[in-house]
Amino acid sequence: MSSFWGPVTSSTDCCEKNYEYSSYIAEFYNTISSIPTILLALIGLINAYRERFEKRFCVLYVTIMALAIGSMLYHATLQRVQQQSDEIPMMWEILLYMFILYSPDWHYPRTMPIFLVLYGVIFAIVHSVVRFGIGFKLHYVILCLLCSPRMYKYYIYSDCVSAKSLGKLYVVTLLLGGLCWLCDHVFCKQISRWPINPQGHALWHLFMGFNSYFANTFLMFCRAQQLACSPKVVRLMGVLPYVKIEKPKRQ
C-alpha cells in the first residue's frame, strides 16, 4: 500500500513488512503490541493511587504509558520525530527506576532528583538534535545494568515468597523479550523468507509490558516494606498480582 506518512526517516526499521494492512500504519503488529503495556500501566496506576503509594510510582506508570503511546506513534509512522517520542520516555523511565532503587539510601535526598531531572532534560534536548543510533542503545543498556545490582539486593533480602515470584517473573519476561528482540534484529533476512513472520519485535513489546508491570509491583512491595506498611501480594481476578498495603497508624 502507499504510505500516508511519506518515506521512512527513522534510524531503525524492524523486520515487519511496512504498510501491509493499512496506508496509515507502517508496522501493524509492532504498533498494536503496545496496547497491553498501556492497560497494565493503567491498572498499576489505579492501584498505586488507591493504595496511596508515593507519587514516584504514579509518575512511573504515567511515564510507561507515555512510552507505549510514543512507541505506537513511532511504529505507525516510522518517522524520526515519532522515534524520539519512543526513545526519550525510555530514558526517563530508566532514570525513574534509578531514583526508586537508590533514593532510600541516598545521603543527600534533594540532589538525586535534581540531577536525574537535569540529566533527562539535557538528554531529551540533545537527542532531538543528534542521532545517536547504536550509542542510544548502549547508553540505555548501561543505565539498565546500573539498576541490576540494586534489584538483585532487593530480591535476596526479601523474605516473601510471593514477592520473590514477582522478581522471577521479571527476569523471565526480560530474557524472553530480549531473545525475541535479538532474533528479530539479527535474523531478519532469514525470517523474511518464512511463510509466517513470528513478529519478534511485537513479542518484545508484549513481554516488556509485563516485565515493567512485574518490576513495578515488586518495587512497590519492597518500598512498602521499607515504610513498615505491611504489604501483601494479592491477585486481581486470581491472575494479575498487585500490592495491597496497610499503613501504620499514627500515634
Side-chain angles (χ1 to χ4, degrees):
M1 295 185 182
S2 60
S3 164
F4 175 82
W5 304 104
V8 174
T9 58
S10 62
S11 61
T12 304
D13 190 356
C14 299
C15 201
E16 182 179 357
K17 290 182 179 179
N18 296 344
Y19 300 102
E20 188 173 14
Y21 299 100
S22 170
S23 60
Y24 298 98
I25 303 177
E27 297 175 343
F28 180 78
Y29 292 107
N30 289 346
T31 300
I32 65 171
S33 57
S34 290
I35 295 176
T37 302
I38 298 174
L39 297 177
L40 288 169
L42 180 60
I43 293 171
L45 176 62
I46 293 171
N47 180 57
Y49 180 79
R50 183 184 60 186
E51 296 294 325
R52 297 182 180 179
F53 274 92
E54 294 165 298
K55 291 181 181 179
R56 64 187 68 181
F57 290 104
C58 292
V59 174
L60 177 60
Y61 280 116
V62 170
T63 304
I64 291 172
M65 284 191 281
L67 166 60
I69 293 170
S71 177
M72 293 180 71
L73 291 173
Y74 161 44
H75 289 289
T77 63
L78 291 181
Q79 299 298 299
R80 180 172 181 262
V81 173
Q82 282 73 20
Q83 183 178 2
Q84 293 172 358
S85 70
D86 174 34
E87 294 178 346
I88 291 174
M90 283 177 65
M91 195 59 54
W92 289 347
E93 179 195 22
I94 198 65
L95 292 175
L96 275 167
Y97 278 127
M98 293 184 72
F99 173 71
I100 291 171
L101 285 164
Y102 287 98
S103 62
D105 296 329
W106 197 260
H107 296 294
Y108 305 98
R110 292 187 178 180
T111 59
M112 188 178 192
I114 292 173
F115 171 77
L116 293 177
V117 168
L118 288 175
Y119 192 99
V121 170
I122 292 171
F123 173 83
I125 295 172
V126 174
H127 190 52
S128 65
V129 178
V130 182
R131 286 198 179 194
F132 289 110
I134 189 65
F136 168 80
K137 296 180 178 65
L138 290 174
H139 181 214
Y140 184 76
V141 169
I142 290 171
L143 292 179
C144 289
L145 291 175
L146 290 176
C147 293
S148 300
R150 192 71 172 185
M151 199 76 168
Y152 179 68
K153 179 183 177 181
Y154 280 7
Y155 176 81
I156 61 175
Y157 278 98
S158 177
D159 56 358
C160 176
V161 176
S162 298
K164 285 202 167 187
S165 68
L166 290 171
K168 292 175 182 177
L169 287 170
Y170 162 76
V171 173
V172 169
T173 51
L174 179 62
L175 292 175
L176 289 175
L179 181 63
C180 291
W181 180 89
L182 190 65
C183 290
D184 186 81
H185 184 71
V186 175
F187 302 109
C188 181
K189 289 185 179 180
Q190 293 85 344
I191 291 173
S192 298
R193 303 189 190 102
W194 295 359
I196 298 177
N197 187 333
Q199 305 299 341
H201 198 85
L203 290 174
W204 152 261
H205 287 168
L206 185 63
F207 280 121
M208 294 312 294
F210 281 98
N211 175 264
S212 61
Y213 182 83
F214 293 139
N216 298 351
T217 307
F218 176 73
L219 291 175
M220 290 167 72
F221 181 92
C222 295
R223 183 58 178 163
Q225 273 193 330
Q226 292 171 353
L227 300 175
C229 292
S230 303
K232 60 180 178 180
V233 178
V234 294
R235 295 186 178 273
L236 179 65
M237 301 178 66
V239 179
L240 193 66
Y242 67 95
V243 178
K244 192 173 182 62
I245 64 174
E246 181 179 340
K247 290 196 173 183
K249 295 180 180 180
R250 295 180 179 179
Q251 298 295 331

